[in-house]
Amino acid sequence: MGKVAVVTFFFLLCVASSLAYLPGVAPQDYEEGSEIKLTVNKLTSVKTQFPYEYYKAPYCRPDHVVEEQENLAQVLVGDRLESSDYQVLMGLPSACNVLCKKTLDDGDANKFRELIDDEYRVNWLLDYLPAATRVHDEAHPNNIITYYERGFLVGFKKNDKYYLNNHVKLIVKYHWNEQDPQATEKRTARIVGFEVEPFSVQHVIEGQWNEKQLEQNKLTTCKAAGSIASGAEALYQNQPVDAKGDVVFTYDVEFVESPEKWASRWDHYLLMGDNQIHWFSIINSLMIVLFLTGMVAMIMLRTLHRDIRRYNEIAANTEEAQEETGWKLVHGDVFRPPVHPLLLSVYVGSGVQCFAMAVSTLFFAVLGFLSPANRGGLLLAMLLLFVFMGVFAGYYSARLYKTLKGDQWKRCTMMTAFGFPGVVFCIFFVLNGFSYFHQSTYVPFGSMFFLLVLWFGISVPLVFLGSYFGYKKPEVKHPVRTNQIPRQIPEQAWYMKPIFSILVGGILPFGAVFIELFFIMSSIWLHQFYYVFGFLFLVMIILVITCAEISIVMCYFQLCSEDYHWWWRSYLTSGSSAVYLFAYSILYFATRLQITKFLSALMFFGYMFIISYAFFIVTGTIGFFACFVFVRQIYAYVKVD
């Protein structure tokens, strides 16, 4: 396994080096009058979860739309970056700029009404900063919190009438670079903020409309001498969404000097409210860990120590030993291979792969490599790390399968390489098909083909490489021999029945993470930023400890009741926390989201099933290895003839 670790470490260095340079993170200096490119992105809605390309809506479209090159992760999340006709010149404010005039037909009007009903938001980028709407949280009057919401609404509905936000004020915040007074170069600035204030204005045109020279058109509703201000709605009428009605799209550009440095320009986007909630999550999880640690300590230091001493004292007296009850009586069956050993080995191997991917991703995130300025960087890192961790999946599934006396090693390797990734890919393929038929942004064939190249070209060979090293290793020797004839398991109490004990075991691991889970789900489904990876790393450590300890406790109780079928039980005990995660997603769907369409609900539960399935194999693998080490240790201290 040493060679495998070296190869994998080399891959991790490659990933780290590729993440070290983050597009959009390197500062861009602008001289006065230089152009700042404004890029349009997708339209998003928390009510439908189906993003649309910006120009699928009847907005002003340039004669030649230039599509920016997105990475794989950006394509997977539906980003479509395209050029626009908005002109933003550094340090030069302007007002009442005419973008275009659109005459809406029935289809255009219906499209805007549908977008307004579903509360779609427009997403733009300026210097790689997303457009944001400033929001004031006045829940606590003594401590008003100001934060950003991504994008701005397409329009609004009032008195059963639809109105379109056809005028926007672009507020560009900048910070002058420090410069030597004797320097001859022009002074430059960096963009540190990008806010948008939308307005609905039914513009009135003076004279004849000039389509070729838009700047020559005059509007009575706004003047070039001054921009439209918030609170001045009484001075103009809102722009209704009517068929065969003219809509003039306009914009203002305002520059505001800010003392904020470029390095901290993402702070408003990443503001997640009160950090005390995260600390409460950590303390809540620590209480669970301390409770389980106390139980494990009591078992290990008192009960087990007493049992081992008593068993060893009466080891010479066979008749008396057979009258004993407890976990020692199943020493001849405790390492008997379980049913479906191949499937268990595959699940354990896939769990190791996902766990190694999660730990590595969090490691890079905590170090600051996965900045939100690198759009799609987090998802891309997860994909690459999952692919590279296939070597561990192959190694551990092969090693365990050999220990369980399995002889279908080719089938084990194939199922490890294609099992979990295949399930995820099939679900993703079906959901992507729904996006295609819904005319939403979907993953094109080229990106799907590239995913298959990563899977078949890198992950599968690495799984086979790990399996090769795993099968070359000798099988794990157990401390006690296995009897030829299985021992009969006595009738179990109702609380030790498999289903009940498994479901009970999953409560505490889920309880250790459910508070932080709320913020993670909000970042996914409510389009919020999540960047408290330090808290998440602590929660993950607590989750690992909780899964290990609850599995050990339940395994000990099971062996004491003379039930030696612990292999699958240890996996399912901690893995059952995924059942509660999926149940929590149903509660979150019903209480936090406003999804009413069937396909949108199908998208939500499809992706939540993938997340829950991955959570199941990770937590189950942690519990399995904890019990495997525990059982080997306790039976190694018992003297058996």
Side-chain angles (χ1 to χ4, degrees), residues 98 100-103 202-211 214 216-223 239 246-250:
V98 178
C100 77
K101 185 183 75 169
K102 298 279 292 187
T103 301
Q202 188 174 17
H203 288 297
V204 179
I205 305 171
E206 288 185 3
Q208 203 71 14
W209 182 261
N210 189 339
E211 188 66 35
L214 295 175
Q216 300 297 325
N217 295 299
K218 304 297 182 182
L219 305 174
T220 61
T221 43
C222 68
K223 305 293 184 181
Q239 174 63 56
D246 291 338
V247 179
V248 179
F249 290 89
T250 56

Side-chain angles (χ1 to χ4, degrees), residues 229-437:
S230 300
E233 289 80 2
L235 302 179
Y236 54 84
Q237 293 183 339
N238 293 327
Q239 174 63 56
V241 180
D242 295 326
K244 300 181 180 179
D246 291 338
V247 179
V248 179
F249 290 89
T250 56
Y251 65 98
D252 303 330
V253 181
E254 179 181 334
F255 285 89
V256 178
E257 186 174 357
S258 172
E260 190 171 12
K261 297 295 183 66
W262 183 91
S264 57
R265 67 177 188 165
W266 277 89
D267 289 355
H268 289 293
Y269 295 92
L270 304 180
L271 183 65
M272 299 193 65
D274 195 353
N275 283 335
Q276 291 183 358
I277 299 177
H278 296 280
W279 284 116
F280 173 76
S281 172
I282 299 296
I283 295 173
N284 169 73
S285 303
L286 284 176
M287 292 300 101
I288 296 176
V289 168
L290 290 176
F291 169 72
L292 287 175
T293 303
M295 292 190 64
V296 172
M298 182 184 65
I299 291 173
M300 298 293 289
L301 299 179
R302 294 187 57 188
T303 309
L304 273 177
H305 182 71
R306 185 181 64 245
D307 289 347
I308 293 173
R309 186 179 66 249
R310 185 174 69 251
Y311 290 152
N312 290 336
E313 288 176 353
I314 62 177
N317 192 337
T318 307
E319 294 182 359
E320 186 178 357
Q322 290 181 350
E323 294 176 359
E324 289 289 336
T325 60
W327 54 269
K328 188 201 172 183
L329 292 182
V330 296
H331 67 83
D333 299 275
V334 71
F335 292 108
R336 187 179 303 280
V339 295
H340 308 300
L342 183 136
L343 188 61
L344 178 62
S345 302
V346 170
Y347 269 112
V348 169
S350 299
V352 171
Q353 183 178 11
C354 290
F355 179 72
M357 176 268 292
V359 172
S360 303
T361 304
L362 273 180
F363 174 74
F364 290 128
V366 170
L367 292 181
F369 286 112
L370 304 180
S371 167
N374 182 21
R375 301 179 64 83
L378 180 63
L379 181 58
L380 184 61
M382 292 176 65
L383 280 173
L384 294 178
L385 289 170
F386 179 81
V387 167
F388 294 147
M389 295 305 167
V391 65
F392 291 113
Y395 178 84
Y396 283 99
S397 65
R399 190 83 190 276
L400 178 60
Y401 190 56
K402 188 174 183 179
T403 301
L404 297 179
K405 313 298 183 184
D407 54 1
Q408 297 177 314
W409 62 272
K410 292 182 181 179
R411 185 179 180 186
C412 177
T413 304
M414 294 290 289
M415 289 183 64
T416 304
F418 297 102
F420 174 73
V423 171
V424 173
F425 183 83
C426 289
I427 296 176
F428 176 74
F429 184 81
V430 172
L431 297 179
N432 188 61
F434 291 150
S435 298
Y436 175 79
F437 289 111

Side-chain angles (χ1 to χ4, degrees), residues 596-614:
T596 56
K597 297 182 179 179
F598 173 74
L599 283 182
S600 300
L602 201 61
M603 291 280 289
F604 173 84
F605 288 111
Y607 284 116
M608 285 309 303
F609 176 80
I610 293 177
I611 295 173
S612 301
Y613 187 40

Side-chain angles (χ1 to χ4, degrees), residues 506-580:
I507 295 176
L508 292 181
F510 171 76
V513 301
F514 84 96
I515 297 179
E516 205 66 28
L517 181 66
F518 169 81
F519 294 100
I520 296 175
M521 292 183 66
S522 296
S523 69
I524 297 174
W525 302 111
L526 298 181
H527 304 156
Q528 299 176 1
F529 285 103
Y530 184 90
Y531 199 60
V532 285
F533 293 113
F535 285 109
L536 186 59
F537 191 76
L538 292 176
V539 170
M540 186 170 187
I541 294 175
I542 292 172
L543 175 65
V544 172
I545 298 174
T546 306
C547 289
E549 292 184 340
I550 191 64
S551 297
I552 289 174
V553 170
M554 300 303 291
C555 180
Y556 173 76
F557 291 153
Q558 179 185 354
L559 294 177
C560 286
S561 60
E562 302 179 25
D563 184 357
Y564 51 84
H565 293 155
W566 62 273
W567 299 90
W568 275 107
R569 187 86 70 92
S570 64
Y571 194 100
L572 297 175
T573 296
S574 54
S576 65
S577 56
V579 175
Y580 298 98

